[in-house]
Every structure is written in structure tokens, then in C-alpha cells.
Amino acid sequence: MRYFRPTSLIDALAIRRDHAVTVLAGGTDVYPAAATRRAWGDPSHPDILDISGVAELRGIADEGDHWRIGALATWTDLIRADLPPLLDGLKAAGRAVGGVQIQNRGTLVGNACTASPAGDGIPNLLALDAVVALPGREVAAQDFFTGYRATAVGPHDLVTAIRIPKRPGRGRFEKLGARRYLVISIAMTGLAVETDPAGRIVQARIAVGACAAVARRLPALEADLAGVPLAEAPGLVAEPHLAGLSPIDDVRASAAYRLAAARTLVADALAGLAGSPAARAA
């Protein structure tokens, strides 16, 4: 195994271009993956590109019309950052990612690049219309996640940041697991909702994770909620709105349970934004 640790983005990109490497940021996904390979009898170690020394990839910044979350910004950085209510859901997802030790090391960009169907940050990125920045191009979050643990990142690409457009509204995140913390999601949802002064929904962007190979927006529900008082929105979430989801049966839950849970979580998230008791729709 070869180990590279550049200190500039130019050098990191050159290494990425010239070598077949696994990119390492926080390491919270890379090391467990290596342990899994060993458990299955594969002792090989891929070459590593450790980007933790590239200062250009750190930090969270206000860049005018968007927020920039660098590739090395940790979940703890995100939780502690002074960000508007629109990003409250993303912060809540950060608090649900593992324990404090994982939050101190793991990164939002790493979570996105792993592209697990149960990645807690991903529904929020879809709901926020986030954009993934790579050298020379940008990819909308909606197009970035291409399949099960698959993304639009090419063999020579390196994600440098995630950009989130500044918009009015508030964000919300709800997650269901076998216990409250330190657990993989059974189902989850990320929302971003803008309302007018009368409390009616101007725009709702709603995504569900862990219920398909990739997290998915709910466009039919988003359309049906336009113009509806936010306080009434939880009761409008119906099974047909989940038609784009395709959950599986596994050790954590059945497909039917995941669908019911997703419906409940979306209603609960809307109720939370409205400030009313959680609505149980499932």
C-alpha cells in the first residue's frame, strides 16, 4: 500500500489523476470498509490519498449567494457553525451520525461520497438543492447520487466542497432507528419549507432516505403542499405520495414497515416545523 498526504489541492489532484487511490478524509467509512474486506478474506489494502493536510478543503463559509461546506468540514464543524434555520435539518442529521467521536472525525462530503442509502446527510442535501463541487464542474445533488453506493465522481475526480444556495425557509430532519442514537436508519426524511406571512407553504422540498437505492425527493407531495397552511400539511401526507420509493426487506425492517415509517416521519417533520404535536400518519 502507498500512502499519499499532500498539503495543497494542486498536489492532491495530481496524485488523484496519476494513481488509483482511495480518498481518505475523516476515515470513518474507509477503515470499517477495510475491516470488512479482511473479514471476507481479502487482505489487500488500496493506495490511500489522505487529504486531511489540504487546508483549502477546510471550513464552512458564507460566499454571498450560497454556503460553502469544505470537503474536510466535520459534522462537529457543521453542528457548531452559525447557520440559518434553513440548515437546521442538516445540523440535526449531524447530531444523529454516530457518537461524538465520529462527529469529530467524519465529514459531510465523505458521507455523500460513500452514498449509502442510509447516509443521514443525503436527504437534506436533496431538500436543500445542494450542489457538489469538483474541479472544473459542479453536479446538482439530485444528479450526484447515481445508484447504490454510486456517485457521479469519476476515477480522477476529487470533491472539494458542497454548496448550498441561500433561500428563505426552515429545515427539518427526522430519523427512525432501532434506538435513538448510534444506529443505522430504518427510514429518514429531510425537509426544507418556505412559508408566506400567513403561514401557507410557498415551497416544500422533501426527500426520504433508506427507502430506495438512493434517497429520493417526493415531487407529488411537494406539489400538493403548495399553498396549504403549514399547520394542515401533516394530515395531507398520503401513501400515493411515496410511490417513487422502493424499500427492501432486510434485518432492520420490512419494506412495508419502511414505507409506513417514511410516511410518519414526513408528517412528523412537517408537524415539527408547524410547532404542533407530531402527526402520526402511518
Side-chain angles (χ1 to χ4, degrees), residues 117-151:
D120 289 324
I122 295 172
N124 297 280
L125 296 181
L126 296 179
L128 293 166
D129 281 337
V131 173
V132 181
L134 302 103
R137 65 189 179 108
E138 294 186 339
V139 181
Q142 190 72 34
D143 301 321
F144 182 76
F145 304 101
T146 59
Y148 175 77
R149 293 187 179 273
T151 70

Side-chain angles (χ1 to χ4, degrees), residues 3 31 34 55 99 114 133 140 145 172 175 201-202 208 214 231-232 234 276-277:
Y3 173 80
Y31 291 121
T114 297
F145 304 101
R172 185 89 178 182
K175 168 179 174 172
I201 296 174
V202 174
V208 170
V214 297
E232 297 176 13
S276 61

Side-chain angles (χ1 to χ4, degrees), residues 87-203:
L87 277 74
D88 283 354
L90 195 57
K91 285 191 169 191
R95 297 185 188 98
V97 174
V100 173
Q101 297 93 332
I102 294 296
Q103 294 165 18
N104 286 345
R105 291 293 305 170
T107 65
L108 171 61
V109 168
N111 187 259
C113 289
T114 297
S116 165
D120 289 324
I122 295 172
N124 297 280
L125 296 181
L126 296 179
L128 293 166
D129 281 337
V131 173
V132 181
L134 302 103
R137 65 189 179 108
E138 294 186 339
V139 181
Q142 190 72 34
D143 301 321
F144 182 76
F145 304 101
T146 59
Y148 175 77
R149 293 187 179 273
T151 70
V153 177
H156 304 302
D157 283 332
L158 183 67
V159 175
T160 58
I162 288 174
R163 304 185 192 280
I164 297 174
K166 288 185 179 179
R167 291 176 174 167
R170 292 175 290 151
R172 185 89 178 182
F173 174 75
E174 296 287 347
K175 168 179 174 172
L176 174 67
R179 57 181 184 266
R180 185 163 179 79
Y181 294 108
L182 299 171
V183 66
I184 299 173
S185 294
I186 292 171
M188 58 183 157
T189 186
L191 282 70
V193 177
E194 178 188 352
T195 56
D196 64 17
R200 293 183 178 275
I201 296 174
V202 174
Q203 185 182 46

Side-chain angles (χ1 to χ4, degrees), residues 170 172 174 229-235 266-280:
R170 292 175 290 151
R172 185 89 178 182
E174 296 287 347
L230 181 56
E232 297 176 13
V266 172
D268 285 355
L270 289 165
L273 287 176
S276 61
R280 294 291 169 184

